[in-house]
């Protein structure tokens, strides 16, 4: 059973068209939820860490929020350079504490 | 600032051949080090992690092994590669106790086993 489910799998937006990516998770005890951006052929780039429900973090056009069951990555007025795969990962109490359990990602394409 | 290096960037190997991938971190001491694999259509999967020299923990049974001969060096190896070992291998580092520490990833190695 997947611990982390991301939706949609792929998203195409026009430049300036705001939207949200979803990350649903099922864990016994959440230690942290992480968002990364991954460009093709590159390693994931860290964006945010969220620790508790109600927490929000922002960086430029991106805003991450967290509830007890899911996290959203809101993209406001996206630009073509925001095109990438966005990965969500959780760290929970059920494993060694070091592993990040990743979703399969949302592939975002922003067209001019 | 911290920097993480991986090499080679790409590798094509025949089935049954050995493997050695290297990862080094600069600008930090006593990092936790990780090896992940990203296979097509699947999320990143943690293979090994290390909290210190000579200390290796394996998360999944497999055809691979890892070693940490120096504080900031992490090596992924295999004696005989399988087709299923193909994928994108990522090294990552963090500092701290491991719990809720942010992990930072390297540029990755694309391995194709033919």
């Amino acid at each position: 059973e997947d611990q982390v489910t991301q939706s949609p799998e792929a998203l195409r937006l026009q430049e300036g068209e705001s939207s949200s990516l979803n990350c649903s998770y099922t864990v016994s005890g959440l230690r942290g939820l992480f968002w990364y951006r991954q460009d093709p052929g590159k390693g994931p780039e860290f964006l945010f860490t969220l620790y508790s429900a109600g927490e929000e973090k922002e960086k430029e056009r991106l805003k991450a929020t967290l509830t007890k069951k899911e996290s959203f990555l809101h993209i406001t007025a996206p630009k073509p350079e925001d095109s990438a795969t966005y990965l969500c990962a959780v760290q929970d109490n059920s494993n060694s504490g070091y592993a990040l359990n990743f979703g399969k990602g949302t592939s975002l394409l922003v067209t001019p | 600032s911290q920097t993480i290096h991986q090499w080679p960037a790409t590798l094509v190997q025949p089935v049954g051949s050995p493997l050695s991938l290297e990862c080094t971190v600069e600008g930090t001491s006593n990092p936790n080090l990780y090896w992940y694999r990203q296979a097509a259509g699947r999320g990143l999967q943690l293979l090994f992690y290390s909290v210190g020299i000579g200390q290796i923990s394996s998360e999944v049974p497999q055809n691979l092994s890892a070693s940490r001969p120096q504080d900031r060096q992490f090596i992924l190896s295999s004696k005989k590669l399988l087709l299923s070992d193909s994928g994108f291998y990522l090294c990552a580092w963090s500092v701290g106790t491991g719990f809720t520490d942010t992990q930072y990833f390297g540029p990755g190695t694309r391995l194709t086993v033919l």
Side-chain angles (χ1 to χ4, degrees):
Chain A
E1 181 180 350
D2 289 342
Q3 284 191 309
V4 182
T5 303
Q6 292 188 246
S7 61
E9 290 185 11
L11 180 63
R12 183 181 181 123
L13 298 174
Q14 290 253 313
E15 185 173 3
E17 180 186 2
S18 301
S19 187
S20 297
L21 312 182
N22 178 262
C23 172
S24 298
Y25 62 91
T26 53
V27 296
S28 57
L30 181 71
R31 292 187 182 275
L33 186 141
F34 303 80
W35 282 99
Y36 290 85
R37 168 193 170 127
Q38 187 174 25
D39 292 305
K42 303 286 183 63
E45 174 189 346
F46 170 71
L47 293 174
F48 305 108
T49 307
L50 302 168
Y51 296 106
S52 57
E55 190 174 0
E56 299 182 353
K57 289 193 176 174
E58 288 188 67
K59 179 181 180 181
E60 296 181 352
R61 295 177 293 282
L62 300 177
K63 179 180 178 180
T65 61
L66 181 65
T67 72
K68 289 185 178 180
K69 294 184 177 180
E70 57 192 350
S71 176
F72 291 94
L73 184 65
H74 306 278
I75 304 176
T76 302
K79 298 181 178 181
E81 52 261 43
D82 294 322
S83 298
T85 295
Y86 290 85
L87 302 173
C88 171
V90 299
Q91 206 170 35
D92 66 39
N93 294 326
S94 65
N95 56 30
S96 65
Y98 290 91
L100 288 180
N101 296 302
F102 279 86
K104 295 181 181 179
T106 293
S107 178
L108 174 65
L109 176 64
V110 182
T111 58
Chain B
S1 63
Q2 298 83 8
T3 308
I4 180 168
H5 303 279
Q6 288 186 245
W7 64 89
T10 60
L11 191 60
V12 180
Q13 292 284 93
V15 169
S17 64
L19 173 74
S20 181
L21 303 181
E22 190 165 342
C23 169
T24 58
V25 180
E26 297 177 354
T28 186
S29 297
N30 303 315
N32 303 312
L33 296 174
Y34 311 82
W35 279 112
Y36 285 84
R37 177 169 59 203
Q38 188 173 35
R42 301 183 63 181
L44 277 78
Q45 181 185 36
L46 179 65
L47 302 176
F48 301 95
Y49 68 89
S50 171
V51 299
I53 296 174
Q55 300 179 60
I56 308 295
S57 296
S58 175
E59 287 291 303
V60 293
Q62 59 209 310
N63 182 44
L64 302 168
S65 62
S67 61
R68 184 171 177 174
Q70 300 181 42
D71 181 47
R72 289 170 288 179
Q73 183 185 31
F74 206 21
I75 296 173
L76 184 69
S77 304
S78 174
K79 292 182 179 179
K80 289 185 178 182
L81 283 169
L82 306 172
L83 286 174
S84 57
D85 292 323
S86 293
F88 192 45
Y89 287 83
L90 290 155
C91 181
W93 68 271
S94 70
V95 291
T97 62
F99 299 106
T100 71
D101 298 334
T102 297
Q103 296 180 17
Y104 299 93
F105 288 83
T109 295
R110 174 73 60 188
L111 171 67
T112 303
V113 182
L114 301 175

